[in-house]
Each structure stands twice: as C-alpha cells, then as structure tokens.
Amino acid sequence: MKIYFMNDVVVKRLAKQFKRQVKAWGDDIAYNTALNVVARMFGHDHYSALHATIGLVAAPSDADVDEESQVARFWQYHQVLCEHDFSPTEADEILEALGCAGWWRFTDDGVDELNERSDA
C-alpha cells in the first residue's frame, strides 16, 4: 500500500534516525539510501517517487489508524527492511525504537502481539 504525506519532514526525520541506528550497530548507510528504504517502506519505489506525491493527500499516521491497518503497515515496513538485508530482529528493533509524529515506534508489546497474530 502507498502512504502519502503533505510534506517530507517525517520521511526525512525517519531516514536520519534510521541512518543513526545503522551506524550504532557498526554499519554505515548513506542518507540517500536511507531515504530510499524509508520511501519503499511507505510503498513507493524510491524517495523521488514519494517526493513527487508530496502535498497531494496525507494519510493518517500509524498511531491514528485502526488496528487492522496498523498490522498491515507493520508487516509492509518489516518486509521492506528484511528485503534490505536486515534480520527480522533488527527490523523489529527499528520499528520499535524509531519514530516521528505518530509514525513507526510500534511498542514492544505491540510487535510481540503482531508477531503472535501472524503465527496463528
């Protein structure tokens, strides 16, 4: 699913946090690469494609959608991270620890609950 924004502030902040987290793990990721991964997490092919849609419409944040939408978003974000060579555990950690203005920062309990539901 594609998620749209009125501006790119959240996307850029998440990319900066993502870059810092990767560096804290002892790896390095270019800021442009981080922007592209974040854009892919939001359903766009790359940051330029996301940026082209800025201002068209804004989707509600992760914190403001219903539970079913939260689950769908979580797994979309998680899948993209795993496609970019992050382990499921690292993907969980990113989605729990990083956040901005209601985006990501799924709680530890929430991640465990989502994992249990997918196993059922």
Side-chain angles (χ1 to χ4, degrees):
M1 92 190 76
K2 286 190 180 179
I3 298 170
Y4 301 95
F5 296 86
M6 289 305 291
N7 59 57
D8 63 357
V9 172
V10 168
V11 175
K12 287 182 174 182
R13 284 185 183 163
L14 290 171
K16 287 176 185 175
Q17 290 178 20
F18 179 50
K19 179 178 173 36
R20 281 194 297 268
Q21 181 64 49
V22 170
K23 186 172 184 161
W25 288 335
D27 288 322
D28 196 27
I29 185 172
Y31 177 63
N32 285 339
T33 302
L35 276 172
N36 285 324
V37 172
V38 170
R40 288 211 51 233
M41 292 170 74
F42 290 125
H44 301 269
D45 291 336
H46 44 75
Y47 176 73
S48 295
L50 182 148
H51 193 266
T53 66
I54 294 290
L56 297 178
V57 66
S61 72
D62 297 330
D64 294 327
V65 295
D66 61 53
E67 189 175 334
E68 183 177 331
S69 295
Q70 284 182 349
V71 170
R73 287 180 178 193
F74 174 85
W75 288 115
Q76 176 174 312
Y77 304 156
H78 198 274
Q79 179 180 352
V80 170
L81 288 167
C82 290
E83 288 171 359
H84 285 275
D85 294 329
F86 292 91
S87 72
T89 301
E90 290 169 329
D92 285 350
E93 187 173 330
I94 288 166
L95 294 172
E96 289 172 15
L98 309 183
C100 173
W103 294 95
W104 301 354
R105 202 169 278 132
F106 289 87
T107 64
D108 188 38
D109 291 340
V111 169
D112 292 343
E113 186 177 320
L114 293 172
N115 284 328
E116 288 172 12
R117 283 192 201 146
S118 70
D119 293 338

